[in-house]
Amino acid sequence: MAYSQTLLFGIYPYIALTVFLLGSLIRFDREQYTWKSDSSQMLRRGQLRLGSNLFHIGVLFLFFGHFVGMLTPHFIYEIFISASDKQLLAMISGGTAGVLAFIGISLLLHRRLTEPRIRATSKSSDILILVLLWLQLLLGLATIPLSAQHLDGSMMIRLAEWGQRIVTFRGGAVDLLQGAGWVFKSHLFLGMTIFLVFPFTRLVHVWSGFAATTYAVRAWQLVRPRA
């Protein structure tokens, strides 16, 4: 295995995840006033609701689908569904969610680039993260026709095993990507890059979205009237 492959898919994932976790923690600790999504709704509502809804619905499904699909060992789900059936399910459901998210991000990117007031108030990081997400979704959709050429689920299992070995600090992860097409590898690399730049963009508000679920289990708030 070439050193470049080891660097990109054996070392770079840990660099990206370290920056992702430590960077998010440091930003929350030191720059809490920047911890927001910077909504541009007041400048122009057009395309925002449709684009935002489509993007968030699609990308949330994709996030949890990738999280469960890649990090769940094969032996756990093989008693319920075969690898080939799982791949077909992922292609159909993931493809549908991917199209929704891609349409949504395209609307949001078009809106940010073509509306003068929004463009003038946009940071470079705002446009960068939209472009990265747009490219990532495009690459994800491009993997579907490639996956259709081998419906036995073998490539899906190898990609999932790569992710599991990375997060569990096991060796041999890079070897699993031998023979994987450039589209799959580009999709993995760009995904890691999004994690890398995450703490420096508006994406940090995702943490707040997950943290908001704690409201469902927190203790009742006591309100005492003045005497």
Side-chain angles (χ1 to χ4, degrees), residues 40 43-46 111-113 115-123:
S40 58
L43 299 176
R44 181 171 179 259
R45 294 188 178 185
R111 176 177 178 272
R112 187 162 293 277
L113 293 177
E115 170 58 45
R117 292 188 299 173
I118 299 177
R119 180 66 183 271
T121 57
S122 296
K123 303 174 185 176

Side-chain angles (χ1 to χ4, degrees), residues 19-20 25 31 39 44 51-52 54 61 81 90 92 107 109 120 125 132 149 161 166 173-174 190 195 197 208:
V19 174
F20 167 67
L25 181 62
E31 301 180 29
S39 175
R44 181 171 179 259
S52 181
L54 288 176
F61 182 91
I81 186 173
I92 295 173
L107 291 173
L109 183 58
S125 61
L132 290 179
Q149 298 176 14
E161 180 66 18
I166 288 295
V174 182
L190 192 54
F195 277 100
V197 303
S208 298

Side-chain angles (χ1 to χ4, degrees), residues 48-66:
L48 178 61
R49 176 173 294 183
L50 178 61
S52 181
N53 287 341
L54 288 176
F55 171 71
H56 283 91
I57 291 172
V59 83
L60 284 174
F61 182 91
L62 292 172
F63 174 80
F64 288 109
H66 279 66

Side-chain angles (χ1 to χ4, degrees), residues 47-56 58-59 62 95-111 130 133-134 137-138 141:
Q47 296 180 308
L48 178 61
R49 176 173 294 183
L50 178 61
S52 181
N53 287 341
L54 288 176
F55 171 71
H56 283 91
V59 83
L62 292 172
T96 302
V99 169
L100 293 178
F102 184 75
I103 294 174
I105 198 71
S106 297
L107 291 173
L108 295 176
L109 183 58
H110 176 269
R111 176 177 178 272
L130 284 176
L133 290 171
W134 188 88
L137 288 167
L138 185 63
L141 291 173

Side-chain angles (χ1 to χ4, degrees), residues 8-9 12 136 184-194:
L8 293 176
F9 302 106
Y12 185 56
Q136 179 69 341
F184 290 104
K185 290 183 178 180
S186 298
H187 190 54
L188 291 176
F189 175 79
L190 192 54
M192 293 182 290
T193 301
I194 291 174

Side-chain angles (χ1 to χ4, degrees), residues 207-220:
W207 284 117
S208 298
F210 289 135
T213 58
T214 59
Y215 281 98
V217 294
R218 73 174 185 176
W220 290 99

Side-chain angles (χ1 to χ4, degrees), residues 144-161:
I144 296 177
L146 295 178
S147 298
Q149 298 176 14
H150 40 78
L151 293 175
D152 59 350
S154 58
M155 180 56 67
M156 177 195 66
I157 292 177
R158 289 166 59 188
L159 293 173
E161 180 66 18

